[in-house]
Each structure stands twice: as C-alpha cells, then as structure tokens.
C-alpha cells in the first residue's frame, strides 16, 4: 500500500497528460502508469472479482512498458499489460498450476526485452482479494523468478464492490523487495 507521503499525480508538463506519476519521496524508482492501462486493468480485475461469490477470483499477468535510469532515478513506464489466465485449481487465488506457469513463461518470452522493442515485460501484476495488502510468498517467487532486473515492478490491485479499488507497487531496493 502507499505510505501517506507517497505522491500520485498527473504527469507534469501537459494538461492532457496520459499518465499518473507514482513516486515515493527519497526512493529511486518513479512509475508512470498510463491512464488507459488503469481503465482496462480495472475491467479485468472487476471481471474476476465478480466471477465467484464473496471473494472473487484473482487475475494476473504481465506489465509491459519500458525503463530508463537518469540522474540516479529509475523511471518505469507502464503502457500496456497482458493477462495470463489461471485455472484456479487451488481456489480463487492467483496461484499458478504447471500449465498456468507454462503460459506465463510463454507470454513472458514473447515480451522479453530486445533492442528493437519499444515495449517489453517490466513486471507482473495480480488482483488481491485476500486479507491485508502485500505480496505473498508465491508473488515473491514469481517476481524473483521472472523479473530479476533491478527496474522490475509488481502491482497488486485490491478491488472493492462498494468503493474505489486500492493498488500498491512493489519494487527492488538493491537485493530487498518490500512485500508489505
């Protein structure tokens, strides 16, 4: 979740900005999140949330964009995403079966960074219908296994039926990933 001193604002420089800028003071990672991604991702999250009574089914996938480092800051731009379906063999949580993991790997391979690609895999995401708000052991395993790059990010989106959804970004600080 976002600390109280976290800043989320429209990108500066234009009244027609298409990005939110997520920045935590005194951290070296800045995330620019495309408004269109927010809208489309929320549709997917709410579709899963409404699929199963009470808690909903979690959905997840891969975030697409780019990253660059300048002036000691890493700017990660999230410009698209690709859903990776989950069979939900172990309940409503986004816990990948062997077949799911193979699909995840195939999707990731299609979006691996190469010099000619403008957009590439920069992280993962999932909806979060469990108690609290933090990365699970499975999330951390997925993040470390598939997104080891220093600029990689992970997004959790907690949907609610009667109020605005809440989201949190997770990223590396050296060898450490804050999971809460």
């Amino acid at each position: 979740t976002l600390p109280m001193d976290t800043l989320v604002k429209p990108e500066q420089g234009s009244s027609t900005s298409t990005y939110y800028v997520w920045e935590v003071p005194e951290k070296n990672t800045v995330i620019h999140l495309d408004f269109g991604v927010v809208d489309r991702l929320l549709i997917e999250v709410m579709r899963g949330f409404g699929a199963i009574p009470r808690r909903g089914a979690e959905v997840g996938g891969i975030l697409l964009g780019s990253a660059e480092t300048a002036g000691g800051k890493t700017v990660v731009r999230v410009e698209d995403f690709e859903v990776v379906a989950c069979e939900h063999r172990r309940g409503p949580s986004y816990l990948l079966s062997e077949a799911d993991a193979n699909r995840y790997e195939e999707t990731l391979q299609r979006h691996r960074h190469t010099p000619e690609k403008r957009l590439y895999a920069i992280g993962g995401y999932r909806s979060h219908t469990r108690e609290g708000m933090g990365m699970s052991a499975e999330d951390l395993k997925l993040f470390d296994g598939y997104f080891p790059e220093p600029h990689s990010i992970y997004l959790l989106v907690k949907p609610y039926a009667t109020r605005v959804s809440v989201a949190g970004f997770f990223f590396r600080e050296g060898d450490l990933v804050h999971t809460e």
Side-chain angles (χ1 to χ4, degrees), residues 11 17 21 50 61 64 66 73 109 117 122 149 153 158 179:
E11 185 176 36
S17 172
V21 177
L64 304 172
S66 61
K73 293 266 187 183
Q109 289 306 322
K117 286 186 181 174
I122 54 167
E149 297 84 8
I153 60 174
K158 190 168 190 75
T179 58

Side-chain angles (χ1 to χ4, degrees), residues 49-160:
F49 187 58
I52 297 174
R54 295 178 66 194
R55 187 181 140 185
E58 292 180 343
V59 298
I62 295 171
L63 297 172
L64 304 172
S66 61
E68 61 186 44
T69 301
K73 293 266 187 183
T74 298
V75 177
V76 180
R77 291 188 186 277
V78 180
E79 298 185 52
D80 205 354
F81 67 95
E82 186 164 333
V83 176
V84 178
C86 178
E87 297 174 324
H88 294 101
R89 288 192 173 185
R90 301 187 305 183
S93 296
Y94 191 75
L95 301 172
L96 303 180
S97 67
E98 187 175 332
D100 297 335
N102 288 337
R103 266 193 313 283
Y104 204 98
E105 179 69 33
E106 289 168 6
T107 303
L108 188 61
Q109 289 306 322
R110 280 197 321 275
H111 295 292
R112 280 281 182 214
H113 181 258
T114 61
E116 65 275 358
K117 286 186 181 174
R118 188 179 76 75
L119 299 180
Y120 50 88
I122 54 167
Y125 76 90
R126 77 166 169 85
S127 57
H128 184 78
T129 62
R130 308 166 199 187
E131 290 295 318
M133 181 64 162
M135 291 177 77
S136 68
E138 293 87 358
D139 293 328
L140 192 55
K141 182 179 176 186
L142 191 105
F143 188 56
D144 285 341
Y146 292 125
F147 305 103
E149 297 84 8
H151 65 267
S152 296
I153 60 174
Y154 201 79
L155 172 65
L156 293 179
V157 180
K158 190 168 190 75
Y160 291 99

